[in-house]
Structure formats: C-alpha cells, structure tokens
Amino acid sequence: MKTKTLYLTAVLGMILGFSSCNLDYFPSDELNANTLLNSEKGAEYIIDGCYAMMKEEYEYVEYASSNTYVRHYLQDAEFPSDNICLSGQTTDPLAKATWYKMTDNLKNIELPWWVGYKVIYSANTVIENFKEGESATGDQLIGEAYFLRAMVHFHLVNLFAKQYTNDPTADGIPLRISTNTEVTTRAKVEEVYNQVTRDLKKAAELMTAPRHSGHPGYATKNTALGLLSRVYLYEEKNDSVLDVINQMGDPITHLDPDYKHYFANALTSKETLLAIVHTVSEDRGSASIGSMYNGDGGGWGEVYASDPLMALYERYPEDKRLSYIDLQIETDTRQPLYGKPVVFFPIKSDNDDFRSNLFAELKTDASGKYCEVNGTKYSIQEVKVNGMNEEDPSGEYTAYYVTYGGEKCYARIFQECPLCRNTYPNYFVTKYSYQDGHPQLSSPVFLRWAEIVLNRAEANAKLGNAAAALADVNAIRQRAGIGADGMFELGTKMHGYTDVLDVVLDERRMELAFEGHRRNDVYRNKRSMDRRYAGTQPWEVIPYTADKIQYPIPFNERSVSGISQNPGY
C-alpha cells in the first residue's frame, strides 16, 4: 500500500502543478490527496489535470523541449505513413519513426507510454473514488474519466501492438482499470479493444452535463460516441459503426463551412469534438507540433507533404484542402531555374535507402515535353492513374514519368521553380499553425465531425451500401469546394475507380492528412504502405504484416515490469 500511496501522491502532485488556474477551488493548506478525492471540485481538478498532462513538457529520457504527449503521439501516428516527406537528417527522434528505425529508449517512444499511463492512473482515481448518481456534474466528470482512460489505451494499443484486423490475439499493452499497479502483464489486443469499448459506452451514458458550454477541450457524449465509431471501424464491426453514428445525428450538419480557417479556429468551430487546448501563453514555438511542418515564425519546416499525396490533391486545383499546403517558390534570382517551369523526379542517391530529386527545366518541342540532363534529352511520358506509382488503363487522372538510368521515375511538373531543401520542394503544412495569428500555435484536433462522416462512408462501403458511401464522400468534397464534375456517382461517374472502398480511403487520406490517421488506415485495411517517392525514408513497400509497424515496448517499462518486447526489436 505504501508504494501505491506514494505513486498516487506523485501523480496528483503533477496534476496540482498543471491546474494552477483553478487553485481558488481550495485553500492552499488543504491541497492534498484526501481533499481532491472527496469533493466534486477535486474530481474536476484531477480531470483537468489529465487534459493538461497531454500538452505539458517533461524532462524525461532526453531534454524537455518538445517533449509532450500530444506532439509525440501525433508524430508517431503520422510520420511512418506515405503522407509525409522528411527532407533531411535531424537529431529529433521523429526521424527514427519516419524511417521505421525505432529503438526502445527514445523519448518519443517512452514519453507517450509514461504520460499515457499517468493519465490512465489519474482517471482511475476518479472512477474509484467518486460515486455515480449524486449529481449530473459529478456523473459528467466520471464519464470524462472513463473517456480519457479509453482514449489513451486506444492510442497506445495502436502504436505498440499489431492492428486488431491483423491479429486480435496478439500481445497488446497492459490494461489499467484500477489504481492497483502491483502486477503488469500485456493484455491481448482484443482485450484492450473490448475494455475501450466498455469504457466509451459508459462514458457516453454518464456524460449528460457538458462542461464550459460544450467547449471542445472537454469530452462530451458525442466525443465518446465519435471515438467509439472509430474503434468499431478498426474492428470492422461496420453495423455497429452505423448504429453509433445514428445516435449522434447527421454528422454532415456539423461540418464547418469555413474550411480554410477551420484548424486555426478549432476551439470555436462546431466541427471539433475534441482538441487539446493551447493558449497564446503555451505557444511552443520551434518545439510545437507545427514547427516541423511549417518554417514560418521560427519553425524548422523540414517535413513536407509527399508527392503521392500532392498528386491526389492536385487533381482538383479548387480543393480548399490545398490551402493548408503552402508551396514555397524560389525567390533567389541568381538561381539558374528561377522563375522557370521545371520537372522533378526521384533518382537513386549515394545511399540506396532513399531517393533525392533530380530537377531540370521543363521544355517542349514537336515530340512533346522533355528535359535535358548533362546534354542528354529525356522525354516526359504521360500515364493514366487513379493512385500514384501504378498505371491504370481505366484511370482518369494524368501522371508523368521519366525513364532515367533504366528506371521508370514518376515525375512532378511545376510551372515555376519551387524553393527546395535537399532537392525536395518545400511544401509547408499549416494544419498546426496560425491560431490567434501565431505561426506555431494550434490546439491539435484529436476528433472532428468530418472523420465521423468518413467512418460512416467506410462502414457503408464495406457493407455494400455503395451509394450511401459515395454520398458521404461527396459531402466532404463539396465542403472542400470541389465542383460538380468532381462528385462521384455509382456506375456512371466513378472517375476511373472500380472499388468504392478505394474512393473512401483516398478521401480519408486527403481530408485527415497529418492528423494521425493514415498509418492505421493503411495497415488495418491489410494494405501495404508504398513509400517509393522522393524523401529520406527508405524506398520500400511495407506489408501490413511487418513486425516493424509496431513501436518497441519502452526499455524503462520492460526493465521494471519484465513484460515482453515486440517481435523484431
């Protein structure tokens, strides 16, 4: 009991530090564990501390700068995908996640685990010590505790274990559903999912009195149901996905019509179901999530949108989602390609692990488009595709390639030479920027109504309800500003697609890019991750069965509890 009491005191001490704005709840000489665990205000204090723990910086494993749960989680979930291009070497361990070269002692491996279980422990103190049914506010707080416990377990099991659809009986993560931490074992993936489902249902049942007028920084009934729809989708329980969303009303009605400013205004938008609130005083600058994506305002600006993702967006130049991708144009008039049209294509580097771009002026003669490299003329050929890196005779969209060094290299054409870093065009991404006008400030969105629309679309596609699936896709596209020619109609206007699920997954990719979904969306659908495009990532196709998809169990956890390591590490 002594060990547990000390751990509880340490965790609650952390919460006290993060909830200082609410110190007027209690006289200073009454701030202790007993006070917190015996009043409704104490429960609120603990829950607010849980939200705060997700954004606070910690001195753990390595240095404190940028060491936050929300930053590491969103980067760990997104950077192993085919949406991003890391443009060079960096000492930040995010590079290891990008390259699938993780080790068990990195801060972006250990910190999410460490903080995640502290959040879970704190949520358990509320669940164990506060009685349901005494007040609507009390029940709301207990419901938020169930939600937080569920969400963090769900985050961790999807990072540190196999996808449910790959092997539900595989080793998952430790389940913590009480404050008793004396025994640590790895539950099976399906056991974790089952507990997450129970917790979210309980949370939705209890959360009937939203706090702060339903502010998206705090979970509500719809937040719990929205996450539950994602859990069911990941399990391919598609009928259950539809049942849950039906309880929420029509998600399309909650889409924010002002998409161009949605992420900067996430805290005031009707579309946001949950965001991790950051204020101006919490602007992390170069340590923020957005700093790696956006070089404005002191950001590093080293992670760009990938070529295949850009090929999807650029099919419809009016797509408002392009407003979050800012291509930097070369402004140095001394550069030989300044102001000229150019063609880029990836070629083997000295290190065969990755590909750099070769780029040259785009020229045209009677035979068509071409470029010249070291006096040799290379024709630029056109192919019809639906996705990148795969010819499709039925495809409706044009892609280009150059045959160079005996290899067929997909090419990108720019009408004006872009600014580059290490031969990679600077596609700054601004989804985590410009809240209150600050380039590196945002309140990262964990859940929004557009995802719910797309969850319903995917479930319907898999149930054979193709028309319903396409109707939801069209709603997302209409909000993005795509015109009537870009809408889908079953059997008559499929734009070269033959599978409705492919339509839905491409739309998920474009709508939810950089928000931590793509890695899971590819692997849970038992598809391979094709990363054969320009960037510092290895030039490879990763099958959904690969062991390296899972992150390693942190060293500090295994050294204390003795639980098993994941295969391949």
Side-chain angles (χ1 to χ4, degrees):
M1 289 300 295
K2 181 178 180 181
T3 301
K4 189 169 88 171
T5 302
L6 289 174
Y7 187 76
L8 172 61
T9 301
V11 172
L12 294 182
M14 183 182 296
I15 291 170
L16 290 175
F18 297 156
S19 302
S20 58
C21 60
N22 293 330
L23 282 176
D24 56 329
Y25 286 168
F26 307 106
S28 59
D29 60 354
E30 293 181 15
L31 285 172
N32 56 58
N34 287 333
T35 301
L36 289 175
L37 296 179
N38 287 284
S39 73
E40 195 170 275
K41 285 296 184 183
E44 185 171 2
Y45 211 89
I46 295 170
I47 295 301
D48 286 354
C50 288
Y51 293 117
M53 278 193 278
M54 293 184 181
K55 64 179 177 179
E56 293 298 326
E57 292 183 329
Y58 297 90
E59 184 70 47
Y60 187 78
V61 181
E62 295 183 28
Y63 54 86
S65 176
S66 77
N67 226 12
T68 67
Y69 178 95
V70 63
R71 183 183 193 268
H72 289 323
Y73 169 71
L74 287 170
Q75 291 183 345
D76 287 347
E78 187 71 21
F79 283 15
S81 79
D82 53 3
N83 282 343
I84 65 102
C85 162
L86 177 59
S87 61
Q89 297 285 341
T90 174
T91 56
D92 193 309
L94 64 85
K96 302 295 185 181
T98 304
W99 301 330
Y100 286 81
K101 294 181 179 179
M102 292 80 76
T103 58
D104 64 1
N105 61 347
L106 297 172
K107 67 178 183 179
N108 60 336
I109 302 297
E110 298 216 301
L111 185 121
W113 184 282
W114 181 67
V115 174
Y117 278 108
K118 288 186 179 299
V119 171
I120 290 169
Y121 187 96
S122 299
N124 281 332
T125 65
V126 172
I127 293 169
E128 288 182 0
N129 289 280
F130 294 89
K131 187 177 179 181
E132 297 172 25
E134 294 189 343
S135 72
T137 301
D139 283 354
Q140 172 70 28
L141 292 165
I142 298 169
E144 288 183 54
Y146 276 106
F147 171 82
L148 288 162
R149 185 170 81 176
M151 181 180 72
V152 175
H153 273 122
F154 190 61
H155 285 173
L156 297 180
V157 76
N158 282 296
L159 290 179
F160 293 98
K162 290 184 180 295
Q163 294 288 314
Y164 182 97
T165 50
N166 187 355
D167 183 3
T169 65
D171 284 343
I173 58 170
L175 264 179
R176 293 294 192 208
I177 55 174
S178 78
T179 55
N180 185 340
T181 61
E182 294 173 359
V183 177
T184 301
T185 58
R186 294 181 69 176
K188 301 301 181 185
V189 170
E190 62 185 351
E191 293 173 333
V192 178
Y193 267 71
N194 290 342
Q195 185 61 50
V196 167
T197 298
R198 286 191 291 269
D199 282 354
L200 290 174
K201 287 181 176 179
K202 185 70 171 177
E205 173 190 326
L206 290 169
M207 289 194 287
T208 61
R211 296 195 288 146
H212 303 285
S213 301
H215 188 286
Y218 306 89
T220 66
K221 178 178 180 177
N222 275 339
T223 314
L225 292 175
L227 185 57
L228 183 57
S229 77
R230 189 195 301 180
V231 175
Y232 282 141
L233 190 73
Y234 282 21
E235 293 177 301
E236 295 202 325
K237 295 179 178 178
N238 297 304
D239 285 317
S240 296
V241 175
L242 301 185
D243 288 343
V244 168
I245 295 175
N246 284 339
Q247 297 176 49
M248 303 173 70
D250 186 359
I252 293 173
T253 64
H254 297 275
L255 297 180
D256 190 332
D258 185 14
Y259 188 77
K260 287 185 177 181
H261 302 100
Y262 165 65
F263 289 94
N265 298 326
L267 294 182
T268 56
S269 173
K270 66 178 183 178
E271 184 165 336
T272 309
L273 284 163
L274 183 68
I276 304 302
V277 179
H278 286 66
T279 63
V280 172
S281 65
E282 295 165 321
D283 185 347
R284 307 291 186 199
S286 62
S288 70
I289 297 170
S291 69
M292 290 306 298
Y293 287 117
N294 181 12
D296 189 14
W300 298 100
E302 296 176 356
V303 175
Y304 309 141
S306 70
D307 286 345
L309 178 62
M310 291 308 302
L312 283 176
Y313 283 131
E314 290 170 354
R315 292 173 178 178
Y316 296 92
E318 70 271 27
D319 193 330
K320 293 178 184 177
R321 292 171 293 200
L322 281 166
S323 65
Y324 287 102
I325 299 176
D326 184 9
L327 176 62
Q328 306 294 294
I329 300 299
E330 179 62 71
T331 59
D332 188 345
T333 59
R334 297 169 297 176
Q335 295 298 321
L337 293 176
Y338 165 78
K340 295 180 179 179
V342 291
V343 57
F344 281 68
F345 52 93
I347 61 172
K348 286 185 177 179
S349 306
D350 293 336
N351 181 345
D352 286 341
D353 232 11
F354 67 92
R355 301 291 178 101
S356 297
N357 274 314
L358 191 153
F359 52 99
E361 183 179 355
L362 176 68
K363 300 179 178 181
T364 305
D365 62 14
S367 63
K369 296 180 177 69
Y370 72 97
C371 64
E372 289 183 332
V373 179
N374 296 326
T376 301
K377 178 179 178 179
Y378 294 92
S379 296
I380 299 169
Q381 304 296 318
E382 295 185 2
V383 294
K384 294 296 184 181
V385 300
N386 285 324
M388 276 291 287
N389 300 334
E390 182 179 351
E391 291 184 44
D392 181 356
S394 69
E396 187 168 299
Y397 306 102
T398 299
Y400 301 96
Y401 71 88
V402 175
T403 300
Y404 182 89
E407 279 197 314
K408 180 178 175 181
C409 306
Y410 276 85
R412 292 186 54 70
I413 290 175
F414 299 86
Q415 296 308 312
E416 190 174 2
C417 186
L419 185 67
C420 294
R421 179 174 187 260
N422 297 330
T423 77
Y424 307 118
N426 291 28
Y427 281 112
F428 287 169
V429 176
T430 61
K431 275 193 172 181
Y432 297 102
S433 297
Y434 301 118
Q435 179 180 316
D436 300 320
H438 294 259
Q440 297 303 331
L441 179 62
S442 74
S443 291
V445 176
F446 270 5
L447 190 67
R448 61 188 177 102
W449 282 98
E451 182 203 338
I452 310 307
V453 175
L454 290 166
N455 290 351
R456 185 170 69 180
E458 184 176 337
N460 272 318
K462 290 177 175 176
L463 290 168
N465 304 325
L470 294 180
D472 278 338
V473 168
N474 287 339
I476 294 293
R477 292 170 76 78
Q478 287 169 356
R479 192 273 291 269
I482 296 175
D485 289 345
M487 297 300 111
F488 288 90
E489 294 177 19
L490 186 63
T492 60
K493 194 163 64 173
M494 290 295 291
H495 302 295
Y497 286 89
T498 58
D499 187 340
V500 172
L501 181 59
D502 288 341
V503 174
V504 174
L505 293 180
D506 272 355
E507 205 62 37
R508 284 185 70 92
R509 183 179 187 182
M510 290 187 288
E511 179 66 28
L512 304 176
F514 317 113
E515 297 175 50
H517 294 269
R518 179 63 178 170
R519 169 185 175 272
N520 291 335
D521 285 352
V522 170
Y523 293 133
R524 66 181 173 79
N525 277 292
K526 297 186 176 181
R527 300 187 176 207
S528 298
M529 190 75 75
D530 190 343
R531 307 185 90 207
R532 294 174 298 175
Y533 57 85
T536 63
Q537 78 287 340
W539 182 272
E540 62 180 340
V541 178
I542 305 167
Y544 72 91
T545 54
D547 286 336
K548 66 180 180 179
I549 291 170
Q550 307 169 81
Y551 283 87
I553 302 298
F555 170 79
N556 283 345
E557 174 62 63
R558 291 187 300 105
S559 65
V560 172
S561 66
I563 62 174
S564 62
Q565 182 56 280
N566 283 327
Y569 294 103

